[in-house]
Amino acid sequence: MSEKIAVIPGDGIGPEVVAQTRLVLDHVHPGLEYETFDLGADHWQATGEVLNDDTLSRLAQADAILLGAVGAAPGSTTIPSGLLERGLLLKLRFAFDHAVNLRPSTLYPGVPTPLSDAVVSGKTVDFVVVREGTEGLYCGNGGVVRPGTDAEIATEVSVNTAYGVERVVRYAFSLAATRRRRLTLVHKHNVLVNAGGLWRRIVAAVGEEFPDVTSDYLHVDAATIALVTNPDRFDVIVTDNLFGDILTDEAAAITGGIGLAASANLNVSGTYPSMFEPVHGSAPDIAGKGLADPRAAILSGAMMLDHLGHREDAARVRHAVEVDIAANPGGSRSTDQIGRAVVAAIS
């Protein structure tokens, strides 16, 4: 039976990059069944609704979710800050228990990078950040006392459970065992002693089950420095929700920008659909102009194929993207031209 893919094109450049992703997916793995869901800024402005329970139930029936991008134009006064982030993206992650946010970072040959030649010459920059996806500071545990007054108090509480930390750490060790067998925990345990202590203890305990994987630790501030001075030291990074969000944007910046940055939000138990999306936003300033690079979305589609068990097809897509990058180190091409070039490079 063919898998059912729920597609959320979203706003801005989202529909453009999703269209090219579907073009590639249909070429390499025909037979996927798609159902499109109109969600995002435009949908909210038209209906006053972000994500209702009926739509959420329909999404839950899919085998996977492919998301483009959501977001209103900068400076929009009609959409409250955080409405789409909390009401759609985070709601999907929490409702579908997306415990792992997975973001690979690879510096392909010929891709421009702000890193100096001394940092990258003769070295391989190829690592994965495994970010916890359902806890930490993003879980919504906080509040406001005396709002709008000089005595206002605003709190955001970082929630870390042994269960939640253990499953993301175990996933990270399992992934490292299939790669170069190196895992780095990134946290700030010298200041965040309670959460940091929990993460360190669980990494140590789970690590005993993976004797072939070497693990080490970096404070998050040291990790930000290492990403730009010695990125080849990393293989698999495991970290919490907030630190992972920040580090992965830096990782994208040093490996060619967010136009090549793919991601997956994984339900590790298989009870709900996982979601695959490019890291970039909706970029409304270039929407409709054919200027968006669809390769981050295409690589996210490859991650979806991997997740669905179509590993050979996923590898073919990734290889085609690499071939396209090597053949086109610079210059300007339209979104459609890039999509067609990737299709042509699939062998």
Side-chain angles (χ1 to χ4, degrees):
M1 296 179 63
S2 61
E3 290 92 353
K4 297 178 180 179
I5 310 302
V7 180
I8 305 174
D11 307 304
I13 64 172
E16 300 173 56
V17 298
V18 164
Q20 298 308 311
T21 302
R22 287 186 56 174
L23 183 72
V24 172
L25 292 175
D26 286 341
H27 182 80
V28 75
H29 192 83
L32 294 175
E33 296 183 16
Y34 301 100
E35 181 179 3
T36 300
F37 291 80
D38 181 18
L39 298 170
D42 291 343
H43 174 74
W44 182 81
Q45 288 173 321
T47 67
E49 197 171 65
V50 180
L51 175 61
N52 62 40
D53 290 341
D54 177 66
T55 302
L56 189 65
S57 297
R58 289 166 58 202
L59 287 166
Q61 304 307 309
D63 293 298
I65 301 170
L66 182 64
L67 173 70
V70 296
S76 172
T77 58
T78 60
I79 298 183
S81 175
L83 178 76
L84 297 176
E85 291 81 3
R86 297 213 69 91
L88 178 57
L89 299 179
L90 292 186
K91 184 174 181 178
L92 287 171
R93 292 178 188 176
F94 290 125
F96 294 157
D97 200 20
H98 291 158
V100 171
N101 178 264
L102 189 65
R103 296 193 181 183
S105 295
T106 302
L107 180 59
Y108 298 103
V111 171
T113 174
L115 301 179
S116 68
D117 289 341
V119 170
V120 298
S121 180
K123 299 175 182 177
T124 299
V125 180
D126 179 14
F127 59 90
V128 180
V129 178
V130 179
R131 165 189 168 193
E132 200 287 318
T134 62
E135 298 187 348
L137 280 164
Y138 287 11
C139 71
N141 189 351
V144 178
V145 178
R146 297 188 292 271
T149 73
D150 291 341
E152 180 174 342
I153 301 171
T155 63
E156 302 287 351
V157 179
S158 179
V159 174
N160 300 262
T161 68
Y163 166 76
V165 174
E166 192 273 339
R167 63 180 177 175
V168 73
V169 166
R170 184 171 298 281
Y171 182 93
F173 268 105
S174 298
L175 180 61
T178 69
R179 291 173 51 89
R180 300 194 306 278
R181 298 187 295 279
R182 298 204 310 267
L183 180 141
T184 301
L185 168 63
V186 172
H187 212 280
K188 191 67 176 175
H189 69 74
N190 60 332
V191 177
L192 307 176
V193 294
N194 299 311
L198 176 64
W199 277 84
R200 290 189 75 191
R201 291 194 305 273
I202 290 178
V203 166
V206 175
E208 292 181 358
E209 303 176 31
F210 295 86
D212 293 334
V213 176
T214 300
S215 63
D216 65 354
Y217 172 85
L218 280 179
H219 290 326
V220 64
D221 42 357
T224 63
I225 295 172
L227 279 174
V228 297
T229 59
N230 188 27
D232 62 309
R233 82 180 295 282
F234 295 114
D235 179 23
V236 173
I237 296 172
V238 64
T239 189
D240 82 348
N241 211 331
L242 175 63
F243 294 151
D245 192 4
I246 296 168
L247 289 177
T248 50
D249 279 0
E250 183 185 11
I254 67 172
T255 55
I258 55 177
L260 293 174
S263 77
N265 300 286
L266 302 177
N267 177 286
V268 294
S269 67
T271 53
Y272 291 103
S274 296
M275 183 166 68
F276 303 84
E277 59 178 311
V279 172
H280 61 67
S282 60
D285 55 321
I286 62 170
K289 299 179 181 180
L291 299 177
D293 188 338
R295 290 176 294 191
I298 292 170
L299 289 169
S300 299
M303 296 178 75
M304 184 180 75
L305 289 176
D306 253 333
H307 176 73
L308 294 172
H310 308 302
R311 301 193 182 282
E312 291 185 5
D313 291 337
R316 291 168 64 201
V317 173
R318 282 192 293 269
H319 177 70
V321 171
E322 293 174 15
V323 169
D324 178 64
I325 290 171
N328 300 276
S332 177
R333 295 180 295 161
S334 71
T335 306
D336 290 350
Q337 287 174 325
I338 297 173
R340 290 195 301 267
V342 172
V343 169
I346 293 175
S347 58

